[in-house]
Amino acid sequence: MKPIQLKAEIISNKQVGPNFWRCEISAAKIAKGALAGQFLNIKVNDTCVPLLRRPLSIHHADDRKLAVLYEALGPGTRALSLKKQGEFLDLIGPLGKGFKIPPAQAGGKNVLVAGGLGVAPLLFLSKKLNPAHTSVIIGARTKNHLLCAGEFKKRGFQTHITTDDGSAGLKGQVTDLLAKMISKINRLNIYACGPKKMLQAVAEISVKNKFNAQLSLETHMACGIGACLGCVVNTTKGFKRVCSDGPVFQADELIW
Ligand SMILES: Cc1cc2nc3c(=O)[nH]c(=O)nc-3n(C[C@H](O)[C@H](O)[C@H](O)COP(=O)(O)OP(=O)(O)OC[C@H]3O[C@@H](n4cnc5c(N)ncnc54)[C@H](O)[C@@H]3O)c2cc1C
Ligand code: FES
């Protein structure tokens, strides 16, 4: 669907981790057409601080509402974390191009690879995938920074965890587990979202093994609608705008 702009009421805005928040917003018009991997560009305040909208992945969408999952990092997300039920946000969405789901008959296994807040779009994507053919790898700084592992497990996905300090799951990186997993598989669809370094490592593994991999990039953005060229990345097809040509790209088209 074409993106639209609207003022949407906050249904809830709850802290779900050390500095993590989940905000539910009443926005049926955007939610009904939203695809996993697309994002909202949110103007948190009517004031000029912060001046620019902030892009956040669509974490959940149903007939009535949307949700975003975010870390209160800088002025935009900190201001968002202070918003209460009943207040309004100015949204543009759904923006960008989401994940493409290969037809079921294409076969192969799926793996979702999430680093930190990268779980936000992947939990939404998981609703379209069969848990019997899909594994999930989630990486976090520590056990306390782990997000959504319980939700994936509840939905029946085999869920693997890595933490930087070893406080939950394997001590190490998501790509350590991915490398182990692929030693037993020859057809794999990888869907990944997380920090740039992680995505680059996932891309290397997938290109080397000729797997289909879709990566959702989280570059800095300004306009969010393809107008300013503030978010371009280099690809085998020339420079592409993350906000309008992505944020999801095939791993083999990205030049790092
Ligand atoms: C398509 C897309 C989807 C996103 N989805 C989410 C999401 O679901 N949840 C979430 O918490 N965040 C998400 N982000 C990242 C979020 O938009 C940025 O972190 C945003 O800048 C936060 O605004 P702020 O004012 O709070 O912090 P800022 O002051 O803008 O940034 C805070 C700190 O983070 C750094 N930073 C900002 N943006 C990035 C970036 N893209 N990559 C690396 N470092 C950065 C800044 O340099 C600064 O140090 C997404 C970004 C994109 C492009
Ligand atoms: S943020 Fe302006 S073109 Fe992408």
Side-chain angles (χ1 to χ4, degrees):
M1 73 175 265
K2 270 196 162 180
I4 52 174
Q5 179 178 1
L6 48 79
K7 295 247 184 203
E9 188 174 351
I10 294 176
I11 301 168
S12 66
N13 191 21
K14 291 187 184 145
Q15 191 161 6
V16 293
N19 204 23
F20 302 132
W21 300 74
R22 187 179 190 277
C23 183
E24 278 196 348
I25 312 155
S26 176
K29 283 187 184 158
I30 296 178
K32 280 180 184 164
L35 302 173
Q38 292 187 300
F39 66 96
L40 303 172
N41 217 5
I42 305 181
K43 181 90 179 89
V44 180
N45 285 325
D46 291 334
T47 63
C48 52
V49 184
L51 184 61
L52 295 174
R53 291 174 179 274
R54 293 297 192 262
L56 293 179
S57 298
I58 297 174
H59 176 52
H60 170 83
D62 58 33
D63 285 352
R64 202 171 55 85
K65 61 183 186 299
L66 292 162
V68 289
L69 182 69
Y70 62 96
E71 181 165 16
L73 259 187
T77 45
R78 276 205 301 268
L80 181 56
S81 72
L82 300 175
K83 293 280 169 184
K84 303 274 178 269
Q85 180 187 0
E87 292 191 74
F88 283 78
L89 297 172
D90 185 328
L91 310 180
I92 302 179
L95 287 164
K97 300 203 167 56
F99 292 101
K100 293 190 189 88
I101 311 219
Q105 63 272 23
K109 247 184 103 51
N110 306 308
V111 60
L112 309 185
V113 186
L117 258 306
V119 291
L122 295 181
L123 189 70
F124 183 29
L125 173 69
S126 74
K127 289 185 187 150
K128 300 275 180 206
L129 300 172
N130 182 346
H133 302 138
T134 308
S135 302
V136 180
I137 305 175
I138 306 176
R141 277 169 264 171
T142 73
K143 184 182 175 182
N144 294 336
H145 293 84
L146 256 182
L147 292 164
C148 304
E151 279 100 323
F152 281 113
K153 284 180 190 164
K154 244 186 255 164
R155 291 180 192 179
F157 292 95
Q158 204 175 58
T159 305
H160 309 270
I161 287 159
T162 67
T163 47
D164 296 347
D165 67 352
S167 51
L170 183 85
K171 181 176 179 179
Q173 313 285 314
V174 286
T175 39
D176 300 335
L177 276 183
L178 182 64
K180 268 192 198 165
M181 195 178 275
I182 60 171
S183 62
K184 299 169 210 150
I185 293 170
N186 44 31
R187 270 173 72 201
L188 193 62
N189 301 306
I190 301 175
Y191 304 88
C193 185
K196 187 176 171 189
K197 268 194 169 169
M198 179 203 107
L199 293 181
Q200 190 172 357
V202 171
E204 274 164 23
I205 292 175
S206 61
V207 169
K208 192 170 152 205
N209 291 279
K210 298 195 170 62
F211 294 142
N212 172 38
Q214 297 176 58
L215 313 181
S216 184
L217 305 187
E218 295 193 346
T219 45
H220 289 266
M221 287 185 183
C223 73
I225 52 168
C228 72
L229 303 184
C231 63
V232 290
V233 288
N234 200 4
T235 76
T236 52
K237 297 168 190 153
F239 287 104
K240 297 275 181 189
R241 293 160 299 184
V242 173
C243 63
S244 51
D245 300 313
V248 178
F249 291 90
Q250 287 296 136
D252 58 4
E253 70 178 304
L254 290 165
I255 299 171
W256 299 91

